[in-house]
Amino acid sequence: MEAKTLFDKIWDGHVVDSVENGPDILYIDQHYIHEVTSPQAFTGLENRGIPLFRPDKTLATVDHNIPTQNQHLPIREELSRLQVATLKDNCERHSVKLYGLTHPFNGIVHVIGAELGITQPGMTLVCGDSHTSTHGAFGAIAFGIGTSEVEMVFASQCILQPKPKRMRISINGNLNKGVIAKDIILYIISKISASGATGYFVEYAGDTITSLSMEARMTICNMSIEMGARGGMIAPDEVTFDYINGREFAPQGEAWDQAVENWKKLKTDEGAVFDKELDLKAEDIHPMITYGTNPGMGISVNEAIPALESLPAVEQESFKKSLNYMGFEPGSKLLGHPVDYVFLGSCTNGRIEDFRVFASLVKGKKKADNVTAWLVPGSWQVEKQAREEGLDVILKAAGFELRQPGCSACLAMNDDKVPAGKYAVSTSNRNFEGRQGPGARTLLASPLTAAAAAITGKITNPADLM
Amino acid sequence: MSIEKFNILESTCVPLPVENVDTDQIIPARFLKATSREGFGENLFRDWRYDKDNNPKPDFVLNNSQYSGQILVAGKNFGSGSSREHAAWAIFDYGFGAVVSSFFADIFKNNALNNGLLPVQVTEEFLAKVFEAVKKDAAAKLKIDLKKQEVTLLSTGETCDFEINGYKKTCLLNGYDDIDFLLSKKDKILAFELTQNGS
Ligand code: SF4
């Protein structure tokens, strides 16, 4: 038999039909939706007068457009309130399960899908949200789609997709002190650029990757889109199975044994060919931070921003524009630069392990006075577990408070906006101009580096505080 | 249902020689609260176009009356970042029918095509020539011929081929709609579901 990649096995197993000289019709096992990218798709469906084809394969949550305080009160801003209400109406009309505001399972779509055991190996999953790639950590094909495509899935449980090319990124070796999953992915993106994987679906492999926890793997797959990839995935193994076992919607009893047996076959065959391969060494990775306005503009915290002359002439104009926005000089160092805001949260770093590492670093220390910190769990389940583990007490003693779950300052659609010109060390995934509020200056980093900044009030190498 | 047909587009251009234009710039998140598809053009490139007091920024190209037309020409890796289709809606709603760049992000490309907005991927060299021609003369025109998959810089006669998958090309030329197409495949989809449940 021909050697196949994990990606090909899952993709080929979901092709309903192929259009000659065009895309595949790909069957979707699980569709996640949220309030921002679904309303126009529901309207489209209704204008056509057709029903939602498989409501049982659709799950809805509200996350993007909600406050992170006083969620029991009506949302103050009218448009946000209307959008949340529209989702509720739409879900009721089309029999879609919705984990709405204050539901115990509510949270960021990519956090809850995984923690509820809905995302499983071998599946195809889509959501009108680019960070759907997160779910690839389970050995699934998961990718973000636009609203027209959401409507396609509503209508037919299928999507028209040209098959992407395959790339494998292998990382081997032991990680340095202070380096966690976020640093790995920021490092990869800094190496291949914000468009380096466009057109590809990435499989992450190597012993550094397999040694990671499920949550760390999600952090890595989450940011695949930040290098342009259609998605990222990691072959499922015991770590994956242990994580899923016993979760709310995981298979049980005999069905569980059967599922695991099937999942064990989900790996890239020896000798399978990728369109592109990249090998990296774990020892080369240090705690990372971004200095510019796309996620490819990252350096290790100890390094200096590249000098203008070190860049190809065609890139210099965009680079200058970016640094101008950030208020940084080419060639300068970031270490010691004052920080105004720290954001812990998002679908990249809003899970329990992220709160644990943040708490472990700030334990027994005090938040810097010049820093405003927003600690936003990715879901109510994360929030609950943080309290059960006493993390809230540790955080409180250090001057921090937990807010209520949601996307929050990751995209600043709610009130959690970083003011113009202010510097935010953020555990989210995008440092675009204005992403965290008009004029806000975002520096992406790991929860450890964010914790270090929150304690010292400036950009700090977390390894120095450990 | 159908989308607008696309055949030949001949127009002056609006040049935006910036790389990595992400969808957060095209339409910032705070304007994603609407529940309909209309009116996004007003906020296209909002934070590059207006200052915080909503005054137009004179140095931004959309505020420069010299430049107009239905073709947006942008630097490489256009449309990266968030999957928001609102970005394609905003560009289309503003009045553009095509975006020319040397590289597009995947999701944006799909979103554009699904809305009859044509992403035209050209070589770096051709893109540089277009920027140069438009800089010299704001009245310089491009002609995009979808059937031939060819874009021509009319002032010099230089051309560049572009790729588009055959299926999408047929859809755009004829105004066909993806969902109608998928619905016509219902039998196959139902048959596929049966094989899945059995396994
Ligand atoms: S946390 Fe941020 S990146 Fe993740 S789904 Fe929400 S807005 Fe998107």
Side-chain angles (χ1 to χ4, degrees):
Chain A
M1 244 182 23
E2 189 201 348
K4 276 182 140 188
T5 65
L6 169 61
F7 171 75
D8 283 300
K9 287 181 188 178
I10 302 175
W11 183 282
D12 296 349
H14 285 83
V15 173
V16 170
D17 201 2
S18 297
V19 182
E20 216 192 298
N21 201 356
D24 287 334
I25 301 178
L26 197 70
Y27 191 82
I28 300 303
D29 296 318
Q30 179 65 45
H31 189 193
Y32 295 124
I33 62 171
H34 61 75
E35 76 277 23
V36 178
T37 55
S38 66
Q40 295 87 352
F42 278 112
T43 309
L45 202 66
E46 287 173 9
N47 287 345
R48 288 169 195 271
I50 54 174
L52 205 157
F53 181 50
R54 292 287 178 245
D56 54 322
K57 297 191 177 197
T58 313
L59 175 71
T61 184
V62 287
D63 52 6
H64 282 65
N65 204 353
I66 57 172
T68 53
Q69 284 176 322
N70 294 320
Q71 289 186 358
H72 62 289
L73 299 177
I75 299 177
R76 275 204 319 249
E77 217 235 350
E78 196 194 333
L79 283 174
S80 302
R81 192 170 65 241
L82 180 71
Q83 203 172 49
V84 169
T86 304
L87 182 68
K88 188 158 176 274
D89 286 353
N90 281 329
C91 287
E92 275 167 14
R93 249 199 329 279
H94 294 273
S95 312
V96 171
K97 196 191 295 175
L98 164 69
Y99 294 138
L101 271 181
T102 70
H103 189 286
F105 291 163
N106 172 259
I108 302 172
V109 60
H110 310 307
V111 175
I112 67 168
E115 75 184 3
L116 290 170
I118 298 172
T119 299
Q120 294 168 18
M123 278 186 164
T124 49
L125 307 102
V126 293
C127 174
D129 193 287
S130 55
H131 292 97
T132 311
S133 59
T134 313
H135 306 269
F138 289 80
I141 291 184
F143 53 89
I145 58 178
T147 298
S148 296
E149 293 170 317
V150 171
E151 192 181 332
M152 282 183 211
V153 183
F154 279 169
S156 67
Q157 202 57 33
C158 287
I159 185 164
L160 289 162
Q161 275 305 288
K163 193 175 183 180
K165 290 182 281 187
R166 315 153 202 86
M167 182 190 297
R168 179 161 58 191
I169 300 178
S170 306
I171 307 169
N172 289 287
N174 296 323
L175 290 171
N176 292 314
K177 190 171 150 194
V179 173
I180 55 179
K182 182 66 162 288
D183 303 300
I184 301 178
I185 189 63
L186 284 175
Y187 176 78
I188 297 173
I189 304 166
S190 77
K191 285 285 153 208
I192 76 170
S193 91
S195 60
T198 303
Y200 292 89
F201 211 98
V202 176
E203 180 178 345
Y204 301 94
D207 59 28
T208 312
I209 298 291
T210 50
S211 72
L212 295 174
S213 72
M214 227 27 242
E215 299 200 350
R217 294 179 190 187
M218 284 188 246
T219 300
I220 293 193
C221 288
N222 172 274
M223 289 188 73
S224 304
I225 182 73
E226 262 62 67
M227 48 188 177
R230 207 69 187 84
M233 69 199 311
I234 296 171
D237 57 13
E238 290 302 325
V239 175
T240 321
F241 310 148
D242 285 350
Y243 178 94
I244 301 172
N245 197 0
R247 290 186 184 265
E248 194 72 22
F249 296 101
Q252 285 176 5
E254 245 176 73
W256 170 257
D257 298 335
Q258 184 59 54
V260 172
E261 202 168 301
N262 291 339
W263 294 344
K264 282 187 174 157
K265 296 179 206 141
L266 294 171
K267 48 165 106 19
T268 291
D269 298 329
E270 195 81 39
V273 181
F274 287 83
D275 299 288
K276 203 170 182 178
E277 295 244 26
L278 185 68
D279 280 296
L280 300 169
K281 288 202 221 59
E283 70 205 44
D284 292 340
I285 309 174
H286 299 279
M288 295 285 295
I289 194 156
T290 63
Y291 59 87
T293 54
N294 78 59
M297 301 173 86
I299 49 176
S300 100
V301 272
N302 289 335
E303 258 179 308
I305 296 172
L308 197 59
E309 311 79 66
S310 70
L311 296 159
V314 290
E315 285 172 23
Q316 292 188 3
E317 219 27 62
S318 295
F319 183 80
K320 271 195 280 187
K321 178 173 183 297
S322 175
L323 286 200
N324 187 29
Y325 178 87
M326 293 299 294
F328 292 142
E329 290 297 325
S332 66
K333 282 208 166 198
L334 290 180
L335 221 49
H337 192 286
V339 168
D340 309 295
Y341 284 76
V342 165
F343 172 54
L344 174 67
S346 87
C347 59
T348 315
N349 285 125
R351 285 172 285 266
I352 190 67
E353 284 180 11
D354 303 311
F355 284 79
R356 284 188 197 133
V357 299
F358 191 98
S360 73
L361 197 126
V362 305
K363 189 174 181 179
K365 305 187 178 74
K366 281 271 177 242
K367 181 181 81 63
D369 290 337
N370 60 313
V371 168
T372 304
W374 291 326
L375 276 50
V376 185
S379 72
W380 279 107
Q381 295 212 77
V382 172
E383 199 262 4
K384 186 162 156 247
Q385 195 173 347
R387 288 187 193 283
E388 279 166 8
E389 293 182 11
L391 299 182
D392 57 326
V393 180
I394 296 172
L395 292 169
K396 190 152 197 192
F400 299 93
E401 250 176 88
L402 291 180
R403 293 169 82 96
Q404 294 176 325
C407 294
S408 176
C410 174
L411 91 165
M413 266 186 96
N414 65 0
D415 293 336
D416 307 343
K417 290 181 176 53
V418 175
K422 297 290 182 194
Y423 289 92
V425 172
S426 176
T427 66
S428 55
N429 43 51
R430 287 185 172 142
N431 51 356
F432 299 147
E433 285 183 30
R435 173 78 178 185
Q436 299 194 289
R441 291 160 162 170
T442 302
L443 302 105
L444 301 175
S446 79
L448 271 180
T449 306
I455 292 301
T456 59
K458 53 195 183 198
I459 295 169
T460 304
N461 186 341
D464 296 343
L465 298 183
M466 293 166 78
Chain B
M1 291 261 215
S2 60
I3 55 166
E4 235 167 273
K5 288 186 194 177
F6 194 109
N7 189 5
I8 289 177
L9 178 61
E10 191 181 312
S11 167
T12 50
C13 316
V14 176
L16 185 66
V18 180
E19 294 182 358
N20 297 310
V21 174
D22 59 77
T23 54
D24 272 80
Q25 307 318 315
I26 298 172
I27 182 90
R30 61 188 190 280
F31 301 111
L32 306 186
K33 298 185 183 195
T35 50
S36 75
R37 286 179 185 238
E38 287 78 44
F40 287 101
E42 236 174 84
N43 295 313
L44 175 66
F45 292 116
R46 183 75 200 195
D47 294 336
W48 286 355
R49 212 164 132 197
Y50 300 99
D51 67 15
K52 62 180 193 316
D53 304 315
N54 291 328
N55 300 311
K57 294 185 184 177
D59 55 346
F60 187 63
V61 67
L62 293 189
N63 298 322
N64 185 338
S65 55
Q66 231 191 322
Y67 298 107
S68 64
Q70 297 169 58
I71 302 174
L72 178 66
V73 184
K76 82 161 184 258
N77 197 25
F78 186 84
S80 56
S82 157
S83 59
R84 59 188 69 160
E85 192 163 319
H86 313 68
W89 298 338
I91 295 172
F92 193 77
D93 189 55
Y94 184 86
F96 291 113
V99 184
V100 174
S101 175
S102 56
F103 200 81
F104 289 93
D106 273 339
I107 305 183
F108 176 80
K109 200 193 279 180
N110 283 350
N111 287 342
L113 286 167
N114 285 337
N115 287 280
L117 174 71
L118 188 67
V120 179
Q121 187 161 324
V122 297
T123 60
E124 293 277 350
E125 297 78 56
F126 187 80
L127 185 69
K129 280 180 186 153
V130 178
F131 279 136
E132 211 177 296
V134 178
K135 199 171 170 187
K136 251 197 256 155
D137 177 12
K141 279 188 172 176
L142 280 179
K143 178 177 171 187
I144 299 169
D145 187 328
L146 175 59
K147 207 176 255 165
K148 285 200 199 150
Q149 294 182 224
E150 185 184 87
V151 49
T152 311
L153 181 56
L154 292 177
S155 53
T156 66
E158 277 164 292
T159 66
C160 184
D161 297 340
F162 62 90
E163 290 287 319
I164 177 167
N165 84 54
Y167 166 79
K168 268 291 159 200
K169 183 176 171 179
T170 313
C171 287
L172 283 177
L173 285 172
N174 298 292
Y176 294 159
D177 170 270
D178 283 326
I179 294 183
D180 289 342
F181 176 76
L182 282 169
L183 291 175
S184 75
K185 297 280 177 182
K186 251 320 167 27
D187 287 352
K188 287 207 168 169
I189 296 171
L190 290 168
F192 178 87
E193 286 186 327
L194 287 176
T195 66
Q196 292 284 293
N197 295 338
S199 72

